[in-house]
């Protein structure tokens, strides 16, 4: 089965979590795009969707799904999104598509975060995927130096501006032994808008598509 087929299956499985007459949050990326496609089949049962990026907004509108502002929608029962990596605690690396800030906001405002992914995203330890960090443009060099001090190799994402008008540094070679601790530490560096580590607020459910089918995984607790 191809990776795309797996992404589609994980996305389809997330429909089971959508309740009638509710507003839900939707993430960004190719797996989230499959979810939007699936969601369009039941759009008459939805009150609307809160989007995590301009790209997702455009896609939702193209499918005729009403897009609502998070401030107007209030707390959400559900957020569905993909990830670049997930570990057994369902702590994630996100931001491959550069939408990490709005994704983190919508995830924070949601009761249940359902992550949809193909099996290639499952890792024992986070960090093989370079950690995306959204940075205020004038703080780029300062943040870069702070990341170097912590053993990371920041690389500016070329020709890319986020929906919020900021830059992305993709940080290679970070040792992510304690994801929540690192997220909190990086959050405290002035000039960083958002760290693509979703460890302080991990996913609640992972729908992981494998060749054998879609597995429902809850966070592993030691
Ligand atoms: C976008 C993201 C995506 O969820 C992540 O990059 C996974 O993308 P895809 O579903 O295309 O593999 O965080 O900012």
């Amino acid at each position: 089965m191809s990776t795309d087929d797996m992404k589609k299956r994980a996305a389809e499985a997330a429909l089971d979590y959508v309740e009638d007459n509710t507003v839900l949050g939707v993430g960004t990326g190719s797996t989230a795009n499959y979810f939007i496609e699936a969601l369009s089949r039941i759009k008459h049962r939805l009150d609307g969707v809160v989007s995590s990026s301009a790209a997702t907004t455009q896609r939702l509108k193209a499918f005729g799904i009403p897009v609502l502002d998070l401030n107007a929608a209030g707390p959400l029962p559900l957020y569905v999104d993909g990830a670049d990596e997930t570990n057994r605690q369902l702590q994630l690396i996100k931001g491959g598509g550069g939408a990490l800030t709005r994704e983190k906001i919508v995830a924070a405002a949601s009761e249940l975060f359902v992550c949809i992914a193909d099996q290639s995203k499952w890792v024992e330890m986070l960090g093989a995927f370079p950690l995306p960090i959204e940075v205020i443009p004038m703080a780029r060099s300062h943040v870069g130096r702070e990341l170097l001090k912590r053993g990371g190799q920041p690389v500016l994402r070329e020709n890319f501006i986020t929906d919020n008008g900021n830059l992305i540094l993709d940080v290679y070679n970070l040792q992510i032994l304690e994801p929540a601790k690192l997220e909190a530490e990086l959050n405290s560096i002035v000039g960083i808008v958002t760290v693509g580590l979703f460890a302080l607020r991990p996913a609640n459910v992972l729908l992981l598509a494998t060749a054998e089918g879609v597995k429902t995984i809850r966070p592993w607790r030691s």
Side-chain angles (χ1 to χ4, degrees):
M1 194 188 304
S2 73
T3 301
D4 269 344
D5 286 338
M6 283 192 251
K7 288 182 179 193
K8 200 170 184 171
R9 287 191 182 193
E12 293 277 341
L15 280 187
D16 289 349
Y17 292 82
V18 181
E19 305 221 334
D20 286 358
N21 308 117
T22 56
V23 177
L24 70 147
V26 173
T28 300
S30 56
T31 319
N33 283 346
Y34 283 125
F35 178 65
I36 293 170
E37 222 172 298
L39 207 55
S40 69
R41 299 200 304 268
I42 60 159
K43 63 182 177 191
H44 53 282
R45 286 165 33 196
L46 301 175
D47 282 353
V49 164
V50 170
S51 165
S52 61
S53 66
T56 286
T57 299
Q58 199 181 7
R59 197 168 177 89
L60 287 163
K61 286 184 174 168
F63 277 101
I65 301 172
V67 178
L68 305 180
D69 179 77
L70 180 62
N71 294 307
L76 307 176
L78 174 67
Y79 178 56
V80 178
D81 196 1
D84 298 300
E85 281 186 352
T86 174
N87 65 14
R88 288 196 289 173
Q89 285 83 25
L90 308 194
Q91 296 167 317
L92 315 172
I93 287 186
K94 290 187 47 55
L100 60 163
T101 297
R102 295 185 188 195
E103 290 172 339
K104 206 176 247 196
I105 292 168
V106 185
S110 300
E111 181 68 24
L112 188 77
F113 178 178
V114 174
C115 181
I116 48 178
D118 66 89
Q119 62 186 11
S120 70
K121 308 296 182 63
W122 180 261
V123 296
E124 282 305 314
M125 191 189 293
L126 298 174
F129 191 92
L131 180 66
I133 296 187
E134 181 164 349
V135 176
I136 299 282
M138 74 169 286
R140 186 193 68 211
S141 300
H142 166 70
V143 171
R145 285 190 295 273
E146 291 297 315
L147 293 166
L148 282 168
K149 277 188 212 163
R150 289 162 176 82
Q153 308 284 314
V155 175
L156 179 67
R157 199 176 290 185
E158 297 279 350
N159 304 316
F160 190 86
I161 302 287
T162 69
D163 288 347
N164 314 304
N166 297 317
L167 304 172
I168 297 281
L169 295 176
D170 290 304
V171 189
Y172 291 76
N173 300 330
L174 273 178
Q175 285 250 310
I176 309 185
L177 300 173
E178 294 176 277
K181 198 172 159 200
L182 182 65
E183 182 180 356
E185 184 184 339
L186 296 179
N187 278 345
S188 73
I189 297 175
V190 175
I192 287 183
V193 177
T194 304
V195 178
L197 259 177
F198 286 50
L200 295 165
R201 196 279 181 253
N204 303 104
V205 177
L206 169 66
L207 300 175
L208 188 72
T210 69
E212 293 79 47
V214 179
K215 295 182 183 167
T216 302
I217 298 171
R218 306 263 170 188
W220 180 84
R221 307 255 177 247
S222 54

